[in-house]
Amino acid sequence: QVQLVESGGGLVQPGGSLRLSCAASGSIFSINTMGWYRQAPGKQRELVASITRSGSTNYADSVKGRFTISRNNAKNAVYLQMNSLKPEDTAVYYCNGQHIDSLMRIFSIWGQGTQVTVSS
C-alpha cells in the first residue's frame, strides 16, 4: 500500500510565500505523474500543477508565474513553492500521485490534504 503525506500548509499574509511538500511511502514500485490539487469551500477540486517523472510541468493559468512544482524521484517526493500568494489561493491542497505497481496497474493516490490560508 502506498501513502502520500503532505506538509507545509499554514496561514500567510497576501504577497507571502509557502512551500508544500509531499512524500510517498509504502510498497512503491514507480510513481509517474505527481501533482497538486486544491479545493476551496463550495468549489470543485482543481488542478494546480503537475509534473511527470521526466520533469515536464503543467500549471493552472491562475498560478502561472507564481507557483513552481518540482520533484525528487529518489525520494518519491513532490514540492510546490508558492510565491505572491493571494486570498483566492486559500484552499485545502492535496497531493496526488499516479502509482504504477509491478503488474503495470495504475492507481491514483491522494494525500490527506493541507490547509493554506492567505489572509491579513
Side-chain angles (χ1 to χ4, degrees):
Q1 188 175 359
V2 177
Q3 294 180 326
L4 296 176
V5 178
E6 302 111 332
S7 61
L11 173 64
V12 64
Q13 291 186 342
S17 298
L18 280 176
R19 185 175 188 252
L20 304 183
S21 299
C22 171
S25 63
S27 301
I28 299 169
F29 186 75
S30 179
I31 300 180
N32 192 5
T33 299
M34 300 188 79
W36 289 95
Y37 290 71
R38 66 186 181 187
Q39 187 167 20
K43 293 188 177 181
Q44 290 188 333
R45 190 173 298 188
E46 62 175 359
L47 174 68
V48 176
S50 64
I51 184 168
T52 66
R53 191 169 182 82
S54 61
S56 295
T57 58
N58 179 48
Y59 294 94
D61 288 342
S62 59
V63 306
K64 283 181 180 177
R66 299 188 298 122
F67 291 11
T68 302
I69 189 170
S70 60
R71 68 186 287 172
N72 183 324
N73 291 330
K75 295 183 177 181
N76 291 305
V78 64
Y79 311 96
L80 186 67
Q81 178 65 43
M82 304 184 293
N83 299 328
S84 303
L85 282 160
K86 304 175 181 179
E88 50 263 44
D89 294 318
T90 295
V92 178
Y93 284 69
Y94 296 91
C95 175
N96 175 266
Q98 302 298 308
H99 177 245
I100 303 171
D101 70 5
S102 58
L103 299 177
M104 297 297 112
R105 297 176 300 185
I106 301 174
F107 298 90
S108 183
I109 310 296
W110 292 91
Q112 81 284 357
T114 185
Q115 177 70 45
V116 171
T117 302
V118 185
S119 175
S120 56

